[in-house]
Short mmCIF file of all heavy atoms in Angstrom, two decimals:
data_model
loop_
_atom_site.label_atom_id
_atom_site.label_comp_id
_atom_site.label_asym_id
_atom_site.label_seq_id
_atom_site.Cartn_x
_atom_site.Cartn_y
_atom_site.Cartn_z
N THR A 2 -60.73 -23.50 -12.70
CA THR A 2 -60.39 -23.90 -14.07
C THR A 2 -58.92 -23.62 -14.36
O THR A 2 -58.32 -22.73 -13.76
CB THR A 2 -61.25 -23.15 -15.10
OG1 THR A 2 -61.08 -21.75 -14.87
CG2 THR A 2 -62.71 -23.50 -14.95
N LYS A 5 -54.40 -22.52 -20.21
CA LYS A 5 -53.19 -23.12 -20.81
C LYS A 5 -52.52 -22.10 -21.72
O LYS A 5 -53.17 -21.40 -22.49
CB LYS A 5 -53.59 -24.37 -21.61
CG LYS A 5 -52.47 -24.95 -22.48
CD LYS A 5 -51.90 -26.21 -21.88
CE LYS A 5 -50.51 -26.56 -22.39
NZ LYS A 5 -50.30 -27.03 -23.68
N VAL A 11 -42.74 -16.53 -15.43
CA VAL A 11 -43.03 -16.03 -14.09
C VAL A 11 -42.09 -14.86 -13.80
O VAL A 11 -40.88 -15.04 -13.72
CB VAL A 11 -42.85 -17.13 -13.02
CG1 VAL A 11 -43.12 -16.55 -11.64
CG2 VAL A 11 -43.78 -18.30 -13.29
N THR A 15 -36.82 -7.38 -15.38
CA THR A 15 -35.88 -7.28 -16.51
C THR A 15 -35.85 -8.57 -17.32
O THR A 15 -35.96 -8.56 -18.55
CB THR A 15 -34.47 -6.96 -15.99
OG1 THR A 15 -34.54 -5.81 -15.15
CG2 THR A 15 -33.51 -6.70 -17.13
N GLU A 36 -47.14 -11.52 -13.34
CA GLU A 36 -46.48 -10.41 -12.64
C GLU A 36 -47.52 -9.59 -11.87
O GLU A 36 -48.41 -9.01 -12.48
CB GLU A 36 -45.73 -9.51 -13.63
CG GLU A 36 -45.18 -8.23 -13.05
CD GLU A 36 -44.29 -8.43 -11.84
OE1 GLU A 36 -43.27 -9.15 -11.94
OE2 GLU A 36 -44.63 -7.89 -10.77
N ASP A 111 -33.87 -10.46 2.29
CA ASP A 111 -34.13 -11.04 3.62
C ASP A 111 -33.68 -10.08 4.72
O ASP A 111 -32.70 -10.33 5.43
CB ASP A 111 -33.40 -12.39 3.74
CG ASP A 111 -33.88 -13.42 2.72
OD1 ASP A 111 -35.08 -13.39 2.38
OD2 ASP A 111 -33.07 -14.24 2.27
N ALA A 165 -22.92 -2.69 -5.61
CA ALA A 165 -23.71 -1.58 -5.04
C ALA A 165 -23.35 -1.24 -3.59
O ALA A 165 -23.32 -0.07 -3.23
CB ALA A 165 -25.20 -1.90 -5.16
N GLY A 235 -23.02 -4.65 15.05
CA GLY A 235 -22.13 -5.76 15.38
C GLY A 235 -21.53 -6.29 14.10
O GLY A 235 -22.24 -6.55 13.13
N THR A 246 -16.50 -7.42 16.48
CA THR A 246 -16.30 -6.06 16.97
C THR A 246 -17.60 -5.27 16.85
O THR A 246 -18.55 -5.72 16.21
CB THR A 246 -15.16 -5.38 16.17
OG1 THR A 246 -15.00 -4.05 16.65
CG2 THR A 246 -15.46 -5.31 14.69
N ALA A 255 -27.09 -0.18 4.84
CA ALA A 255 -27.14 -1.64 5.04
C ALA A 255 -27.68 -2.32 3.80
O ALA A 255 -28.54 -1.80 3.10
CB ALA A 255 -28.03 -1.96 6.24
N ALA A 300 -32.98 -15.24 -9.95
CA ALA A 300 -33.49 -16.44 -9.28
C ALA A 300 -32.79 -17.72 -9.72
O ALA A 300 -32.98 -18.77 -9.12
CB ALA A 300 -34.99 -16.57 -9.51
N ILE A 312 -28.35 -10.60 -17.50
CA ILE A 312 -29.65 -10.94 -18.11
C ILE A 312 -29.64 -10.61 -19.60
O ILE A 312 -30.19 -11.36 -20.41
CB ILE A 312 -30.79 -10.18 -17.39
CG1 ILE A 312 -30.95 -10.70 -15.96
CG2 ILE A 312 -32.11 -10.30 -18.16
CD1 ILE A 312 -31.83 -9.86 -15.07
N ASN A 322 -32.75 -21.51 -26.96
CA ASN A 322 -32.86 -22.88 -26.47
C ASN A 322 -34.32 -23.32 -26.32
O ASN A 322 -34.64 -24.50 -26.51
CB ASN A 322 -32.09 -23.05 -25.16
CG ASN A 322 -30.59 -23.14 -25.41
OD1 ASN A 322 -30.16 -23.48 -26.52
ND2 ASN A 322 -29.79 -22.86 -24.39
N ARG A 330 -34.91 -30.09 -31.37
CA ARG A 330 -33.49 -30.08 -31.70
C ARG A 330 -32.65 -30.02 -30.42
O ARG A 330 -33.14 -29.56 -29.39
CB ARG A 330 -33.13 -28.84 -32.55
CG ARG A 330 -33.82 -28.76 -33.90
CD ARG A 330 -33.21 -27.64 -34.74
NE ARG A 330 -33.21 -26.35 -34.04
CZ ARG A 330 -34.15 -25.41 -34.21
NH1 ARG A 330 -35.18 -25.64 -35.02
NH2 ARG A 330 -34.08 -24.26 -33.56
N VAL A 345 -19.28 2.81 -9.54
CA VAL A 345 -19.15 4.26 -9.51
C VAL A 345 -18.19 4.61 -8.38
O VAL A 345 -18.39 4.20 -7.25
CB VAL A 345 -20.52 4.93 -9.28
CG1 VAL A 345 -20.37 6.45 -9.26
CG2 VAL A 345 -21.51 4.51 -10.34
N TYR A 358 -17.44 -16.47 -16.50
CA TYR A 358 -17.42 -17.42 -15.38
C TYR A 358 -16.03 -17.61 -14.80
O TYR A 358 -15.87 -17.84 -13.61
CB TYR A 358 -17.94 -18.79 -15.85
CG TYR A 358 -19.45 -18.91 -15.86
CD1 TYR A 358 -20.10 -19.52 -16.94
CD2 TYR A 358 -20.22 -18.47 -14.79
CE1 TYR A 358 -21.48 -19.66 -16.95
CE2 TYR A 358 -21.60 -18.60 -14.80
CZ TYR A 358 -22.23 -19.20 -15.88
OH TYR A 358 -23.59 -19.33 -15.89
N TRP A 379 -19.06 6.92 -16.56
CA TRP A 379 -20.06 7.51 -15.67
C TRP A 379 -21.26 7.99 -16.48
O TRP A 379 -22.40 7.79 -16.10
CB TRP A 379 -19.43 8.67 -14.88
CG TRP A 379 -20.33 9.19 -13.81
CD1 TRP A 379 -20.41 8.75 -12.52
CD2 TRP A 379 -21.33 10.19 -13.95
NE1 TRP A 379 -21.39 9.43 -11.85
CE2 TRP A 379 -21.97 10.32 -12.70
CE3 TRP A 379 -21.75 11.01 -15.00
CZ2 TRP A 379 -23.00 11.23 -12.47
CZ3 TRP A 379 -22.79 11.91 -14.78
CH2 TRP A 379 -23.39 12.02 -13.52
N LEU A 381 -22.15 6.77 -19.31
CA LEU A 381 -22.82 5.53 -19.74
C LEU A 381 -23.79 5.05 -18.67
O LEU A 381 -24.93 4.70 -18.95
CB LEU A 381 -21.75 4.45 -20.02
CG LEU A 381 -22.27 3.08 -20.47
CD1 LEU A 381 -22.71 3.13 -21.92
CD2 LEU A 381 -21.18 2.02 -20.29
#
Side-chain angles (χ1 to χ4, degrees):
T2 55
K5 170 105 200 289
V11 178
T15 307
E36 172 54 59
D111 298 327
T246 179
I312 292 168
N322 284 338
R330 297 190 306 264
V345 180
Y358 277 137
W379 189 89
L381 179 76

